[in-house]
Amino acid sequence: MNFDLLIRDGIVVLPWGEAEADIGVKHGKIAAIGKNLGTASEEFNAAGLHVLPGIIDPHVHFRDGGQGGIPGVEDMRSGSLAAVLGGVTTALDMPNTKPPTVDAATVRTKYEYIPGHTYCDFGFYVGATKENADHVGELEEMPGVCGIKVFAGSSTGDLLVEDDESIERVLRSSRHLVAFHAEDEYRLRERKPRFSVGDPYASHAEWRDPECAYRGARRIAALARKTNKRAHILHVSTREEFGFIKEHKDLISAEVLVNHLLQSGPEAYERLGGYAVMNPPIRSKEHQDAAWAAIADGTADTIGSDHAPHTAEAKERPWPTCHSGLTGVQTILPLMLSQVNAGRLSLLRLVDLMSAGPARIYGAVGKGRIAAGYDADFSIVDMKAKRRIENSMIASQCGWTPFAGTECTAWPMATIIRGNVVMFEGVVPGEPTGRAISFRH
Ligand code: DOR
Ligand code: ZN
């Protein structure tokens, strides 16, 4: 056969294990896997490199509702450029954009904006509100939508559905997947007056304490049980939540964030100040250890970055006036690959959490595995490359990362999306060719 692209001599991470194989690509899809496959118009020499299925970051905030995002912070173009530089082939974008993605008009506007504005493939959440709670399931079926996002606790933006009655309406309306920011709004409100402007940044984790997250997760699980609907709990961050979710895996799936795996308080707050502040917060070591245990025992289904850019000025304000959220889409893969090299998880488990897992949870069509007939999306990585993360590398407009100075062993060398080499050795030569992806409901 004459392929459009032949990826030669790489170590291919198949769903069933690693194999030395070539991959033939035709019309943007994987056409053959093996040796001596034939000729091709273009060849990619992957000798010495690992070929992973395209990495999916299921949790980004690119800020852009189809009107150009927030200048100096992020838009779809700069966020997706950061994604492909970091080896991410698909991003799922949150609805607390400008304007918020909460009705048929804003969903359509965002969908139509995708061609020409995104380097990576793209899906996005529709945000639940008290107004749309009874019909948000219809919006969930619109093209490009990966599921419903509920902010049950308030964070950046105005989206909030905090009471049981409204959350139940959202769940009943849902046809696919409801993903939750689970922190309990009532406990957040009750605890806030204990603190004052200028308190140490570490106060963030005391205000939004483990009980806020645990209580929220319990309420959501009870409502999922009552309505017999699935719930995906985003950024699970406490030992108590992991223990609880394990008992409810028939209905509840769980996301873990890189920041909760790699940072802990109070040290992170002392070192990073406002650049450690995010929701749910970076917590103490026992909770970090519980997140790793959830990686080891399978409680965690996906890993996300919760890429949430803000200006440096907004991050450097005194607590709690500093904005919450940390960039991460460009660093998620090298950081997690470095953890593979450090022996904390296997490369197969990384692929399970960062490609197959998101594809399974969201029902992303054609994504998540290297297999004949699937999209030819690959994150090609050098497991031996040593690089240091620097602010100067960051393509997000805000221009900073909480991991500046971190040494990585392993680095993304190429990002291939539907057979197009979008990034090669840190260079993105072309214009945005990303597309909205489909989700099987
Ligand atoms: O820290 C956060 N930042 N947590 C969220 O839930 C939202 C995000 C943002 O959009 O800035
Ligand atoms: Zn988020």
Side-chain angles (χ1 to χ4, degrees):
M1 194 185 214
N2 187 42
F3 300 102
D4 301 330
L5 173 69
L6 192 57
I7 301 169
R8 295 182 71 116
D9 298 328
I11 304 159
V12 181
V13 184
L14 297 165
W16 45 89
E18 291 180 11
E20 278 181 36
D22 300 342
I23 303 172
V25 174
K26 189 95 184 160
H27 304 312
K29 296 202 187 296
I30 298 170
I33 302 169
K35 282 286 177 190
N36 305 315
L37 295 177
T39 55
S41 337
E42 185 185 351
E43 292 206 358
F44 186 102
N45 176 8
L49 304 177
H50 282 75
V51 181
L52 315 184
I55 296 298
I56 301 170
D57 187 340
H59 192 154
V60 304
H61 298 263
F62 286 168
R63 308 290 186 218
D64 194 341
Q67 294 181 2
I70 304 177
V73 175
E74 199 75 293
D75 60 21
M76 200 184 285
R77 193 182 171 104
S78 56
S80 65
L81 178 62
V84 298
L85 284 167
V88 169
T89 56
T90 296
L92 305 182
D93 191 39
M94 288 294 170
N96 58 337
T97 42
K98 201 180 151 207
T101 316
V102 292
D103 56 27
T106 50
V107 168
R108 201 172 302 117
T109 299
K110 188 160 175 172
Y111 176 73
E112 287 170 359
Y113 191 73
I114 289 169
H117 292 96
T118 176
Y119 288 93
C120 62
D121 276 359
F122 202 85
F124 57 97
Y125 298 79
V126 57
T129 66
K130 286 170 199 159
E131 290 70 40
N132 73 18
D134 291 320
H135 67 270
V136 66
E138 290 162 28
L139 306 174
E140 197 185 6
E141 297 204 315
M142 290 178 71
V145 175
C146 64
I148 299 168
K149 167 73 180 281
V150 174
F151 283 93
S154 49
S155 193
T156 302
D158 303 325
L159 293 178
L160 182 64
V161 180
E162 75 277 37
D163 61 290
D164 281 7
E165 191 259 337
S166 304
I167 294 172
E168 182 174 333
R169 289 197 288 135
V170 173
L171 280 165
R172 286 196 192 285
S173 164
S174 147
R175 296 160 193 195
H176 183 44
L177 182 72
V178 191
F180 286 90
H181 183 122
E183 287 178 291
D184 183 281
E185 177 67 13
Y186 304 103
R187 186 171 171 92
L188 293 177
R189 282 183 200 156
E190 178 196 304
R191 293 176 66 76
K192 191 83 187 272
R194 302 178 184 200
F195 302 92
S196 319
V197 174
D199 280 354
Y201 289 102
S203 312
H204 199 63
E206 287 174 47
W207 166 37
R208 306 180 84 111
D209 70 351
E211 180 61 20
C212 288
Y214 184 32
R215 191 173 292 187
R218 289 197 316 265
R219 283 178 48 212
I220 286 155
L223 292 166
R225 185 75 55 205
K226 181 175 176 192
T227 56
N228 195 30
K229 295 280 188 170
R230 285 168 72 194
H232 184 55
I233 303 194
L234 299 163
H235 39 48
V236 177
S237 61
T238 67
R239 192 185 54 185
E240 292 78 6
E241 284 171 286
F242 287 117
F244 176 79
I245 289 169
K246 227 178 274 185
E247 310 290 316
H248 298 272
K249 281 302 270 183
D250 57 323
L251 283 178
I252 309 290
S253 49
E255 175 193 74
V256 173
L257 298 186
V258 175
N259 279 295
H260 294 140
L261 291 167
L262 300 188
Q263 314 260 36
S264 60
E267 181 277 328
Y269 295 98
E270 285 155 14
R271 185 165 45 86
L272 295 166
Y275 292 101
V277 172
M278 62 177 293
N279 305 325
I282 291 169
R283 305 192 189 276
S284 61
K285 183 86 175 42
E286 59 174 314
H287 299 290
Q288 184 185 18
D289 292 345
W292 278 108
I295 299 294
D297 73 7
T299 307
D301 294 282
T302 64
I303 292 182
S305 69
D306 199 354
H307 175 81
H310 296 280
T311 61
E313 183 277 320
K315 293 302 286 175
E316 288 166 15
R317 289 177 203 161
W319 188 83
T321 58
C322 59
H323 288 186
S324 291
L326 304 172
T327 62
V329 72
Q330 196 175 336
T331 50
I332 183 172
L333 183 57
L335 287 167
M336 290 310 301
L337 289 170
S338 300
Q339 296 299 308
V340 171
N341 276 327
R344 302 225 56 181
L345 76 170
S346 68
L347 193 53
L348 270 184
R349 179 64 170 135
L350 179 147
V351 163
D352 181 44
L353 286 156
M354 298 179 67
S355 183
R360 169 174 57 84
I361 295 292
Y362 293 89
V365 174
K367 306 297 191 190
R369 54 199 271 139
I370 297 180
Y374 276 68
D375 285 2
D377 293 358
F378 309 104
S379 304
I380 301 189
V381 304
D382 182 348
M383 291 303 291
K384 295 204 178 77
K386 289 193 190 297
R387 302 278 162 87
R388 189 203 309 254
I389 294 172
E390 303 286 5
N391 283 334
S392 59
M393 297 173 177
I394 295 301
S396 290
Q397 291 175 41
C398 65
W400 55 266
T401 161
F403 293 102
T406 300
E407 303 279 356
C408 292
T409 304
W411 201 258
M413 305 308 289
T415 305
I416 299 181
I417 303 176
R418 287 173 285 97
N420 302 313
V421 183
V422 174
M423 183 280 279
F424 181 64
E425 293 188 348
V427 177
V428 178
E431 286 301 305
T433 53
R435 288 190 196 156
I437 70 170
S438 309
F439 300 90
R440 187 172 297 107
H441 292 216

